[in-house]
Amino acid sequence: MSTLSRADLWSLEDYAQERPAFRAQVMAHKKTRQLAMGDHARLIFEDALTIKYQIQEMLRIEKVFEAAGIQEELDAYNPLIPDGHNWKATFMIEYEDPAERAEQLAQMIGIEDKVWLQVGDGDRVYAIANEDMERSNDEKTSSVHFLRFELTPAMIAAAHQGEAILAGIEHSAYPIGAQSVSDDVRRALVADLALTQVH
């Protein structure tokens, strides 16, 4: 399933009842979909469940119950669900101190294009960042980016065959060398990929 529809969502009233259990389910699910990259950056790999939670929370906060408003949120968030031949992730840069955060973000311009994933000894796949809107300017980058990693059929096959998945960042202000994702995260990422035939 690569997109959500209104039929997949609870009404505001129903969500109020379902939210505690659903939130606990999503938090547990997200634990196997996160990758710390050094001390100050994190990838959270999205899927239909994490995006459903995002949409439900937005509707709840904004008290949206009209069809057009619900569809707007669906249209905004559905592109963040992987479609079987890619991984999609929220990339977060995290510094608690606002002054330090501002200073670091000013040095990290363009970092969102330098995040990469790799399957086995295949080529590095660099992120396609922020397809919905620009999140960097000449002064600084944003602390949140939306990334897409597009995979070839050979990479998808290799992932299904058990090859390691590596990640890193090639940016002078925040370099992260190749690191393997844990088995839990690896299983979650492989589950996002369709089984494809490599000819």
Side-chain angles (χ1 to χ4, degrees), residues 30 33-35 41-46 50-51 54 77 80 87-93 143-149:
K30 274 190 172 184
R33 304 188 66 83
Q34 293 193 46
L35 178 62
R42 196 155 45 111
L43 281 172
I44 301 168
F45 292 98
E46 307 290 0
T50 66
I51 294 303
Q54 296 268 27
Y77 280 99
L80 302 179
W87 288 312
K88 296 186 181 179
T90 302
F91 177 58
M92 303 180 79
I93 301 168
S143 57
V144 179
H145 297 276
F146 298 107
L147 309 182
R148 172 165 64 93
F149 299 90

Side-chain angles (χ1 to χ4, degrees), residues 70-145:
I70 295 169
Q71 193 57 50
E72 226 170 84
E73 296 294 346
L74 284 164
D75 292 345
Y77 280 99
N78 265 327
L80 302 179
I81 300 174
D83 58 16
H85 51 79
N86 50 37
W87 288 312
K88 296 186 181 179
T90 302
F91 177 58
M92 303 180 79
I93 301 168
E94 300 167 320
Y95 288 89
E96 280 186 29
D97 178 61
E100 184 185 12
R101 182 166 61 240
E103 188 183 322
Q104 295 297 331
L105 292 176
Q107 292 175 32
M108 291 183 184
I109 295 167
I111 191 171
E112 61 275 14
D113 300 316
K114 304 293 186 182
V115 182
W116 58 266
L117 296 175
Q118 180 182 348
V119 181
D121 55 8
D123 292 337
R124 290 180 175 181
V125 178
Y126 290 86
I128 299 162
N130 303 319
E131 293 175 281
D132 58 336
M133 62 183 277
E134 192 53 58
R135 288 187 172 80
S136 282
N137 57 35
D138 295 340
E139 274 94 54
K140 67 180 179 68
T141 191
S142 169
S143 57
V144 179
H145 297 276

